[in-house]
Amino acid sequence: MLTLAACGGAGPEPAAPAPPAPAAAPGSSTPPGPPAAAAPVADPLPGMPPVTDPHNVYSDAAANMLNDVTRAAKPLVYVPHTKSGDVWVIDPKTFAVVGKYPTGREIQHVVPSHDMRTLYATDDLGNTVTPFDPNTGKPGPRIPVTDPYNMYYSPDGSSAIVVAEARRKLIWYDPKTWRVQGETLTPNCAGIDHADFTPNGRIGVFTCEFDGRVAVVDIQSHRLLRTIDMPHRNRRMGPQDIKLAPDGSVFYIADSDQNGLWVLDGAATKVIREIPTGMGAHGLYLDRAAKRLFVTNRHEASVSVLDAYTGAILTKWQIPGGGGPGGPGGPGGPGSGHGQAHGHPSPDMGGLTAEGTQLWLSGRYDGAVYVLDTGDGHLIKRIPVGRGPHGLCVWPQAGRYSLGHTGITR
């Protein structure tokens, strides 16, 4: 079902990306065939860095492809906590906690700025973001921002897009002055929280966790174009993270209550199929070659590994100590709700190291950070941290610019 709506100033309808390759029917886990050669990206958002390789929009974020800014950054991992209201900083070489910084009331994510010069810890209850200098790992004074559950950047870098989850809207800020540029109301998108963007940068797709749908937004005009219902609308822990396929043919949408992914066409008009992955599917991350997609299954302590282009399931990695479906940490088991603590792994949000050999994940309900080897998935290290670790940021990241969240770079 499509629901049309509008908000903000008028503007022309953006050009859609090229149609995706033929796909399987909804509800099927059978992937489509090999992707066809990608056409050049049409009608890019003015001011957005050009797409170097249309077949892989992440080609400039490959292993160790640091830029002049990120080469100067101190390698650190920033762990925000929703329950203890602070950010812990970890040395990725020694796995030692080297800093603990109070940053507010409920710290959700650590978000790299578009120019990759600053990291922001978002505090939705305290209505602030705290800037961290990635060259030193130290925080600066807090900046007033309304309800920053999450934060993204327009692909041209002109706006910081604050995802005000509790208020059901997007608030567009000037990323230098932090003055409000405008708002996009999303009244039919309860639990708006995660986003990604089409290859040409003109369309953003935002997930609605508590409404079982996504909201499609014109980036240039800030208009809400439409909402798209998932085939089954989960409204408790529904659509979560979202990731554009490397060739822009589809968006993958994690749905925790569906225990897998929905696949949205690249033009963001319809859901074309479903991929079961595991209980509590939540976070989505690509390897440095953009060939594999890692899916964190939060309620069964596992990570599913998929072909990033076709969605074919390659393997599944189990984190030691995990409870299976219905067991501790699984749906219906102890600690299955938001923010509750238990001793079993609950892999949530994170990111890869710059060279791509490690995947760092927060254990949302068990007060730990997990470091996995991206070659075979074995657990390298479990690091005890504070209460309610959430959207951790591994820094530096490869790439030319950041789209926000915990380090979406292109």
Side-chain angles (χ1 to χ4, degrees):
M1 172 181 174
L2 295 181
T3 305
L4 300 180
C7 178
E13 190 82 9
S28 169
S29 61
T30 304
V41 171
D43 194 23
L45 182 70
M48 183 187 82
V51 176
T52 306
D53 179 4
H55 187 64
N56 178 14
V57 298
Y58 308 102
S59 61
D60 290 295
N64 292 316
M65 290 184 69
L66 302 179
N67 60 37
D68 290 341
V69 171
T70 52
R71 269 192 289 271
K74 190 174 182 179
L76 294 168
V77 178
Y78 299 80
V79 184
H81 296 92
T82 59
K83 298 302 177 183
S84 50
D86 52 9
V87 172
W88 289 22
V89 181
I90 299 172
D91 183 330
K93 292 183 179 179
T94 65
F95 305 117
V97 176
V98 296
K100 298 179 182 180
Y101 303 102
T103 47
R105 295 174 57 189
E106 184 176 75
I107 317 306
Q108 298 284 3
H109 302 89
V110 174
V111 178
S113 62
H114 185 271
D115 61 12
M116 306 175 87
R117 295 180 182 275
T118 309
L119 307 176
Y120 291 100
T122 66
D123 176 11
D124 55 345
L125 293 186
N127 295 299
T128 65
V129 293
T130 299
F132 278 77
D133 181 346
N135 295 341
T136 65
K138 306 293 185 183
R142 298 176 196 174
I143 300 168
V145 170
T146 301
D147 188 22
Y149 172 81
N150 208 343
M151 190 162 70
Y152 291 84
Y153 285 85
S154 58
D156 63 356
S158 64
S159 300
I161 309 170
V162 167
V163 183
E165 182 186 55
R167 290 164 173 77
R168 299 194 191 190
K169 64 183 178 181
L170 305 175
I171 308 175
W172 305 69
Y173 285 86
D174 183 302
K176 292 183 172 60
T177 66
W178 291 100
R179 291 175 180 162
V180 175
Q181 298 172 331
E183 296 185 349
T184 304
L185 303 182
T186 57
N188 297 315
C189 185
I192 187 169
D193 49 24
H194 296 93
D196 208 349
F197 304 84
T198 53
N200 67 2
R202 287 189 172 274
I203 291 178
V205 183
F206 292 79
T207 59
C208 313
E209 181 176 359
F210 310 136
D211 252 332
R213 53 167 60 118
V214 295
V216 182
V217 175
D218 181 330
I219 297 303
Q220 195 165 32
S221 69
H222 304 178
R223 286 192 305 138
L224 175 63
L225 300 176
R226 56 188 170 270
T227 60
I228 303 171
D229 289 356
M230 300 300 100
H232 181 80
R233 291 181 60 193
N234 295 303
R235 302 187 189 188
R236 179 177 172 268
M237 297 176 71
Q240 318 254 316
D241 203 3
I242 178 171
K243 184 67 64 181
L244 180 71
D247 60 357
S249 59
V250 298
F251 290 91
Y252 297 107
I253 301 168
D255 189 316
S256 182
D257 283 347
Q258 196 67 21
N259 303 316
L261 310 183
W262 298 112
V263 183
L264 183 72
D265 73 309
T269 63
K270 60 183 178 181
V271 177
I272 55 179
R273 62 192 181 99
E274 178 184 358
I275 305 172
T277 62
M279 304 298 274
H282 182 68
L284 304 176
Y285 305 95
L286 289 164
D287 72 7
R288 286 290 171 217
K291 292 182 177 180
R292 295 176 298 162
L293 176 68
F294 304 123
V295 183
T296 63
N297 301 309
R298 189 167 57 186
H299 293 154
E300 67 172 45
S302 73
V303 175
S304 294
V305 184
L306 280 58
D307 183 297
Y309 288 90
T310 69
I313 297 174
L314 304 176
T315 189
K316 183 183 284 190
W317 300 331
Q318 198 71 40
I319 299 175
S336 61
H338 277 295
Q340 297 180 23
H342 57 71
H344 298 265
S346 51
D348 192 281
M349 288 288 171
L352 275 70
T353 49
E355 81 290 340
T357 61
Q358 295 177 357
L359 174 62
W360 287 62
L361 298 170
S362 60
R364 182 73 178 273
Y365 308 139
D366 59 290
V369 165
Y370 294 90
V371 186
L372 305 182
D373 184 292
T374 57
D376 60 11
H378 78 266
L379 179 65
I380 297 172
K381 189 72 175 180
R382 179 189 185 277
I383 306 167
V385 292
R387 295 187 299 121
H390 192 195
L392 71 77
C393 177
V394 181
W395 204 254
Q397 286 290 305
R400 297 168 297 165
Y401 65 99
S402 165
L403 291 170
H405 190 38
T406 59
I408 304 172
T409 60
R410 294 184 185 175

